[in-house]
Amino acid sequence: MSDTPPSTTTRPDPAALVERSRLSFDLDADICVIGAGLAGLSVALEAARLGASVAVLEGRHVGWNASGHQLGTVMPGYGLSVGELIARVGFEDARELWSLSKHGADLVRANATEGLMPGIGLTEGALEVSNVDVGDQLISRLQVLSEDFETEVEGWQVDRVRAELKTGHYFHGMYYPKAFQIDGRQYVHGLAALARRAGARIFEDTPVVSIDPSGIRKRIVTPSARLRASHIVLAGNIHLGAPLRRLSETLLPVWRYAAVTAPLGERLAGAITFQGSVMDSDGIDQFRIVDGDRLMWASPETTWAARPERFAGSIAGRIQTIFPQLGKVEIADVFGGAVGQTVHGMPQIGQLRKGLWVASGFGRQGLNTSAMAGQLIARSVLWGDERWRLFSPFELVWAGGSTGRVAGHVVGLWGRGSSAAAGALARYREKARVQERAREARRLEANRQAGTRPSTPRPPNRRPPPGRPRPEAPPPPVAADPGEGG
C-alpha cells in the first residue's frame, strides 16, 4: 500500500512533523487504546478531554492504513440504508441511531475547524446520484429522511443532476447541503495532535504481543514494556493480530483504491461544476474535485491486497467512461488501504466484557461513525452513558475467513456487474423514450402540416331538384350481328 498522500500538492507530510515515540517503559493508565486510526484517536481525544489518562498503542504509525487514505466525505448514515435499519431495529431505535450518526458528523466538523488542522481543505455538500431512473423511490426516501429523521436533504431531478455532472450515466440525485469533505490524511494527523494536546500519550511502533483482560486492572504486553489499564479499547480494525485474531475474523478485509489525476485545467470545468463529493447509489464510484482542477476518484475494490499502482489504468478508464469529454486523463497518484466490513453492515461498538471495549468495523460507514463511536465509548467509561447499547443488535459475526473473502469477491463482482447492466438498461430505455418522443413530434408536425395545406376543390354535386326524376342513363350500345346487313 502506498503511503503517498491523497493530494499531490506540496503541503508538508503531517506524520513528518511529529517525532514518533515508542513505549519502552512500564506504564499505568485509565484507558489503553489499541490502534491509532480514526476510531482509536477519537476515543483517546474524548477520554483525555474528560480527564482520563490515556495511552494509545500503534503497531506502525498514526493513520498508516485506511484512516490516512480515504476521500474524507462526512455525512449522516451507515452502511445500511434507512429502510434496512428500520427493519432491523424498529423505527424508534433507527431514529436514535440516525441521530447519533448526524452528531458524529458534527463532531468531525468541530474537530476539523480547530487550529491544529491547517490545510484541511473543507468544502461543503455531497450528492448521491442514481445509476437508474428511480424517481418514485427518491420521493419515498426524501420523505423518510426529511420528515421522520430530520435530515436536511434535497431531491434533484435528472436535468439538474446533468447540469452539474455533464454525463448521461446518472439520473436523479439526493443532495445533502450539510455534508462536507476534508483532506482525510490531514484530519487523522490533526486528530492525533488534538489528542496529544488534551493529554493522551500515543506510542507508535509498539505492537501488542498479548492481552489479559481479566481482573480490574487489565494487562497489555508489548515487545519492550508492559502496560496496565482499567479499560482496553480495541480499535485496530483487521490488524489486531494474533492476540485478538477471533475479533479480527469477524471483519471481512476489503481493499479500496483511489487516485488523483494530474491537473485537468479547463476540461474539468466543462465536465463537472459540482464542488462537493459525488457518490453513486450502488457504492461503485465516489469522486470530487481537489486542488481546483484535479479529480480524486475511488472505484476498484478487492478482498485481497495488491499494489495500488495496478489500478491506475482501470481508474483512468472509468473516469473516461463516465466523462468522455475529459479524454484520456493522466493519473498522478494511486493510494489505498484495507477496511474491515461487518457481515451485518453496521459498525461494531460496545463492551465485549467488563472493561474490554470494541470500536471497529467502520468499512463503508463514513468518518462520522468513528467520531461518534469514540465519544460513546469514552462517555460510557467515564460517565456511564449507555447509548452504545443501541448497537447491541449488531453482534460480532464470523466473516467466513478465506471462504468469506472469496464469497465477498464474487458478490462484489456480481454487484458491480448487475449495477452496470441495470445502468446500461436504464440509459437504453431513456434513449428509446427520447427517440419515441422525437418520432411522435415528427408525426404531429406532419399531421399539422397536412392540416394547413389548401384543399383541392371538388366539382359541385349536381343533384336534381326535389320531386324531379333523376335522368336515366342511356342503354349501352348493342353490337351489330355480323350476319346482318349487306
Side-chain angles (χ1 to χ4, degrees):
M1 183 186 67
S2 169
D3 283 334
T4 309
S7 175
T8 53
T9 57
T10 56
R11 287 193 297 267
D13 181 355
L17 303 179
V18 179
E19 184 178 351
R20 294 180 187 173
S21 173
R22 179 182 302 174
L23 181 62
S24 57
F25 53 89
D26 291 351
L27 182 66
D28 277 19
D30 295 327
I31 300 173
C32 173
V33 179
I34 299 176
L38 289 167
L41 293 172
S42 296
V43 175
L45 173 60
E46 184 68 19
R49 282 175 169 173
L50 295 179
S53 60
V54 183
V56 180
L57 305 181
E58 169 56 57
R60 299 194 188 182
H61 57 83
V62 167
W64 69 273
N65 189 40
S67 289
H69 298 84
Q70 32 81 26
L71 267 65
T73 301
V74 186
M75 59 188 297
Y78 299 94
L80 289 183
S81 68
V82 171
E84 292 171 318
L85 199 58
I86 294 173
R88 184 68 186 265
V89 301
F91 182 77
E92 292 302 326
D93 281 357
R95 274 173 52 93
E96 289 294 323
L97 285 167
W98 192 267
S99 178
L100 286 174
S101 80
K102 292 197 298 180
H103 180 62
D106 293 339
L107 286 173
V108 176
R109 184 184 288 272
N111 290 333
T113 52
E114 291 210 18
L116 289 181
M117 295 193 185
I120 200 68
L122 191 149
T123 57
E124 303 285 351
L127 180 64
E128 180 186 325
V129 290
S130 59
N131 293 319
V132 294
D133 195 349
V134 288
D136 294 339
Q137 296 179 27
L138 177 73
I139 294 172
S140 176
R141 285 187 63 196
L142 284 171
Q143 289 176 338
V144 172
L145 287 175
S146 61
E147 297 175 11
D148 298 328
F149 286 73
E150 300 177 352
T151 300
E152 288 195 35
V153 60
E154 302 172 9
W156 283 16
Q157 295 298 325
V158 178
D159 291 345
R160 186 170 182 186
V161 170
R162 293 180 178 175
E164 299 279 349
L165 308 173
K166 296 169 178 57
T167 175
H169 270 71
Y170 302 132
F171 293 84
H172 298 87
M174 295 182 64
Y175 173 60
Y176 297 84
K178 286 198 170 180
F180 59 99
Q181 38 281 322
I182 53 179
D183 185 320
R185 194 162 189 264
Q186 294 286 332
Y187 179 73
V188 70
H189 288 282
L191 203 60
L194 290 176
R196 288 188 178 99
R197 188 171 70 174
R201 305 178 72 174
I202 300 174
F203 300 98
E204 299 174 273
D205 299 322
T206 306
V208 172
V209 175
S210 66
I211 291 174
D212 181 0
S214 61
I216 297 176
R217 300 290 287 175
K218 289 80 171 75
R219 291 174 289 280
I220 304 98
V221 178
T222 73
S224 304
R226 299 172 183 267
L227 190 149
R228 295 195 308 167
S230 299
H231 296 269
I232 299 174
V233 181
L234 307 174
N237 202 356
I238 61 172
H239 303 287
L240 288 170
L244 295 157
R245 190 167 301 282
R246 290 184 63 186
L247 178 59
S248 296
E249 290 176 350
T250 65
L251 302 173
L252 176 67
V254 174
W255 281 261
R256 189 85 188 267
Y257 299 96
V260 177
T261 69
L264 299 172
E266 295 181 358
R267 285 187 295 163
L268 185 56
I272 302 172
T273 57
F274 185 71
Q275 297 299 310
S277 291
V278 180
M279 65 285 297
D280 68 14
S281 54
D282 293 316
I284 294 177
D285 294 312
Q286 185 176 351
F287 58 90
R288 65 185 176 98
I289 296 173
V290 295
D291 301 333
D293 64 347
R294 302 172 187 256
L295 264 182
M296 182 187 291
W297 192 291
S299 185
E301 190 176 90
T302 72
T303 55
W304 307 96
R307 292 176 61 248
E309 293 77 14
R310 287 180 50 191
F311 297 96
S314 61
I315 295 176
R318 183 66 179 170
I319 295 173
Q320 192 170 2
T321 298
I322 305 297
F323 297 103
Q325 63 269 47
L326 290 176
K328 186 176 181 180
V329 298
E330 178 187 348
I331 300 299
D333 180 37
V334 187
F335 56 95
V339 297
Q341 294 182 9
T342 58
V343 173
H344 45 61
M346 288 289 284
Q348 298 172 339
I349 301 172
Q351 189 169 215
L352 301 177
R353 57 184 294 179
K354 189 172 179 58
L356 182 64
W357 299 82
V358 62
S360 192
F362 295 103
R364 289 187 175 174
Q365 302 297 331
L367 279 167
N368 60 310
T369 52
S370 58
M372 171 265 296
Q375 187 177 83
L376 282 181
I377 291 175
R379 291 191 175 186
S380 181
V381 169
L382 299 168
W383 287 2
D385 188 337
E386 295 288 289
R387 287 179 298 167
W388 63 268
R389 295 188 183 277
L390 287 165
F391 292 89
S392 296
F394 307 102
E395 56 196 11
L396 303 181
V397 180
W398 183 55
S402 298
T403 304
R405 288 197 191 192
V406 174
H409 181 66
V410 172
V411 169
L413 289 175
W414 178 85
R416 289 192 291 273
S418 61
S419 172
L425 180 60
R427 293 190 295 275
Y428 169 79
R429 287 173 173 169
E430 181 186 39
K431 184 178 179 180
R433 287 195 299 267
V434 170
Q435 292 174 342
E436 179 61 29
R437 286 195 293 266
R439 285 194 296 267
E440 180 68 13
R442 289 195 297 269
R443 186 181 67 80
L444 292 174
E445 179 62 20
N447 290 342
R448 188 186 69 80
Q449 292 289 343
T452 57
R453 289 174 185 165
S455 58
T456 304
R458 294 182 178 180
N461 186 10
R462 296 177 180 176
R463 293 174 176 267
R468 191 173 183 177
R470 184 187 298 267
E472 295 183 1
V478 178
D481 190 340
E484 292 184 3

